[in-house]
Amino acid sequence: MRNFRNALGLAEHESPFPWQEELLARFIDEIGKRSSLDIPTGLGKTSVIAAWLVARSQGAALPRRLVYIVDRRAVVDQATREAEKLRSWVDSSPNVKSQLGLASDQSLPISTLRGQYVDNREWLEDPSAPAIIVGTVDMIGSRLLFEGYGVSRKMRPYHAGLLGADTLFVLDEAHLVPPFEMMLQTLVMNDTGFGPDHDLARLIPDFKLLSLSATGRSAEGEVWRLTEADLRHPVAKKRLEATKRLSFCESDGSKSLSELLAEEAWSLADREAKAVRVIVFSNSRDVAKKAKEAIEQLTGDTKQGINSMTIETELFVGARRVREREQAAEWLDAHGFLAGSEKAPQHPTFLFATSAGEVGVDLDADHMVCDLVEWERMVQRLGRVNRRGDGDAIVRVIVEWPSPDGPTQKAIAKLEAKRTKAEQAKVALFRTYRHRVETLRQAVVTLPQHGDWYDASPGAIRDPIATMLAPISDPGLKRMMFIGTGMAPDPRPLIAAATSPTPLRPALTRPIVEAWSMTSLEKHTGRPAVAPWLRGWVDDDPQTTVIWRRYLPVCENSSAAAKKQFADAAEFFEQAPPHLSETLETESRRVFDWLTKRAKTILKKMDNELPIGDDSDQSPQLQRDSIIGFVLGRALSVERFVSLEELAFEGDKKAVDRRKDELQRSLNNNTLVIDARFGGLSENGLLDDATKFKHSSTGDDEDWGLTGFRVRLSEDGSRSDDRIWRTCFRFVSRLSELGEPLSWLLVEKRRVSTTSEDARAITKTNQALSTHQEWAEREAKRLAKVLNLSPEYEQMLKVAARSHDEGKQSLRWQNTFSAPAEGRPFAKTRGPVKPRLLDGYRHEFGSLPYLERDPEFLSLSPDLQDLALHLVSAHHGFARPVIRTTGCEDAPPSALEHRAREVALRFARLQRRWGPWGLAWWESLLRAADQRASRLLDESPTNQETNDNQEGGHVDG
């Protein structure tokens, strides 16, 4: 228990909540595959991570990886902060580190969407080590289903394999994403046979699901709720009884919602005449921005008798670049808006938030003003005020009753029989809207009433939820409220009516999963988009991710065919892919409008011969025919180029409308990489077609610090020879009239960062093939021991590791990678690399005959031989189910075709036997062993001064 207290960061006199102690005990005893935790907001649900870690350190049979899933990309989330604190605790506790199986110089692997561990892929490095991954529904869900957004096809099976086995999924605010929760439940319970054959099931580590909720909506499997002991705990009692006095402000339609929100928020600060923190929630981003502007005007409006006062304001909305979101987190902390913060604001401080502030972040304010939304969202909002129970919070809810316009008023005044169809439709729409507002309001008034306000404390919210969950015949949980002489109605139907309906979703079937799992097929007619399985069939607008780059793969004076230009651009973005820290995600229609308006402004300046940048902008000026953007698909494929000229939309109206429609559709659910000179990014990280802010840092800058790569312009194409950066790709950015290179773009990666799958063959020193495979075999043996594989499977994995790169003995491969003549064959070389010599050769394919002749391989059973052969052919992400035969010269073409056919048939046999995730998990073990052997070479102390000198472009061999 001391370890648990320390992991939670509690002092000696403090104790965990009883539900936390019970959860730890259940973790140690081993939980079932499906469970739920239904605990009110503010009682530390993220301590689930600490309970898992402590239980693991005590030998509990829990999955090695904990994946904490949040619904939205908030500025900062409590799960990340919890993971960071736990990492520090483990680093300071040698005994705990040893019990977790971590080396003395190894920290707890953390990979999150935010903070210094953003997208670092530490969780991929060692399948046998405990790891914490924090991600969104889309990030985790797409990777689990072999369709990882922003992940190359070669890496997708690796991600899926490590997520689909030995993982505890913790789904926060599960009530917000019921389709995703149901999909995970289907997989966890193996309802439709996704797992391996019965006799093999014990060999693949289980994955489990724990759903977290504060609304009572999700309660499947084993469920933990507060007990009487929790209600007596002094801290829990204080938080459950935290004063939150809720009242309504009924709008008569004379003022806009933004005005009402601003006025109510200002009245809370002005009434107390002190530096209070007020959070203002609205359902609309535009309303939030206008409310912020309105309160800033109010504070200096002396004409209305309002005294001028210094205030602080901040906007907390989605559709903001992640880098600026991170910076906003500092503002939240500095002004005391993060729960538990000891910092207090110096002036009245207002935070204007949309749904981005409702989940995934521990916001805390003194008071709150908001519009009326669905019940589950109201519960989330109320959890963001007086969170610790130290204050006396006032909550003002603006109720916007619909006001009928003139035609609707006339239609209402008519007898129903005399209304036209159009008038009937107007009346029906008005009444539907009014009924919806009344429905949402009625759910709130199920809370206990005290005079002119309602008790919105967590304890009061818990009562109607408990009633809703209990059988109606249970008299012990019926809350007695008397209005006049009658008892209040049962709150269950009122709350249910005000709760968002669960979206419909498609069934998850094995054929669909198997179509997704064939990742080496660029196209597959049976491979649908995964979004409906993650969020259901919803009416949400398509989203577009926008990133700004200083350097784009555009070659001036190039006469190359379009196919070659697309291929070169695809290689460029594979080496310098979009990184989460540089992304801004918003509705595709907004991006299209922004793109066209911004282009119109720039083109107008060009027509008037005005400069596009300012004097401090040293970049070349944009030209009318400049390529200013690339649209990338989910798999980082280049879907289209976007030129400035085409955004002018000149010409025949029908043709223009068609081009607009094509561009808008191409943006849907894709990524737009835009030239930094195009601008359009505000200082706060928001899309702004009129902004004059020019000099925001971009993801390809060296000082960005998170992407792990930089792009620089070089006139001679010379490569980095320093100890920090290594050149991994060169792109000719300008040609002379004779076709000679005049300048190059160099993509350079930090030497400590993992390069692409195939670029691992380029290192700072040469390494003999026998040495590399010996290291890989040793690492495979270590993994097998830690994972408790049986002797026959340990032998299989070792044999595969020992022979996985034998295909590099090919003279073609050795010459391509400029291996020294003396000492061949080499597995790793310093280069330079000559890609044209490779001719598409896959060394994994060339390794198979060597493995088949290995005496230890021949001693394996036929099933294990099949598995070993597949692991070797798939260890760079191919052979699912196809792999190229080009460039291979160790057999006649007919024999090579037969071998390739066997590769595909073997994949089908093994996937049927092991299941999609079981087979991918086996692949991840060999890939991890291979990558570890490569890292050992790069990390060698004697390997610090050399240069990789790679020539030409990216190598795929």
Side-chain angles (χ1 to χ4, degrees), residues 764-798:
K764 291 168 283 185
T765 191
N766 301 318
Q767 186 187 42
L769 176 61
S770 59
T771 302
H772 173 69
Q773 298 203 136
E774 178 186 342
W775 290 9
E777 181 183 3
R778 186 174 62 202
E779 181 62 17
K781 181 178 180 180
R782 185 195 68 80
L783 283 174
K785 294 293 186 187
V786 177
L787 294 170
N788 296 315
L789 298 185
S790 60
E792 62 269 25
Y793 282 94
E794 178 183 338
Q795 182 187 17
M796 180 278 302
L797 192 61
K798 285 168 49 185

Side-chain angles (χ1 to χ4, degrees), residues 915-926:
W917 287 279
L919 182 59
W921 180 77
W922 277 115
E923 292 174 27
S924 73
L925 301 188
L926 180 57

Side-chain angles (χ1 to χ4, degrees), residues 50 59 96 148 188 261 343 489 509 564 569 591 594 629 633 771 778 859 941 948:
V96 173
V188 166
L261 290 170
K343 299 174 183 178
T509 63
K564 176 68 164 60
V591 174
W594 163 83
T771 302
R778 186 174 62 202
S859 70
D948 54 348

Side-chain angles (χ1 to χ4, degrees), residues 623-668:
Q623 304 300 319
R624 194 175 182 89
D625 61 351
S626 295
I627 300 296
I628 52 90
F630 292 80
V631 177
L632 307 183
R634 290 292 199 187
L636 302 184
S637 57
V638 179
E639 301 296 321
R640 68 178 293 161
F641 291 27
V642 180
S643 70
L644 189 58
E645 190 169 31
E646 74 174 284
L647 294 177
F649 292 117
E650 297 171 341
D652 176 71
K653 185 179 185 304
K654 287 186 177 180
V656 167
D657 288 344
R658 184 179 66 252
R659 294 201 303 271
K660 283 184 177 181
D661 183 62
E662 288 173 353
L663 175 60
Q664 189 156 19
R665 283 189 285 108
S666 74
L667 294 172
N668 290 349

Side-chain angles (χ1 to χ4, degrees), residues 178-189:
F180 184 61
E181 182 185 26
M182 294 173 190
M183 188 269 289
L184 287 178
Q185 180 174 324
T186 298
L187 296 181
V188 166
M189 304 309 293

Side-chain angles (χ1 to χ4, degrees), residues 828-844:
K828 310 289 178 182
T829 74
R830 295 174 56 188
V833 178
K834 305 167 183 117
R836 291 182 182 86
L837 296 180
L838 200 60
D839 191 29
Y841 173 66
R842 293 306 319 174
H843 70 272
E844 312 96 281

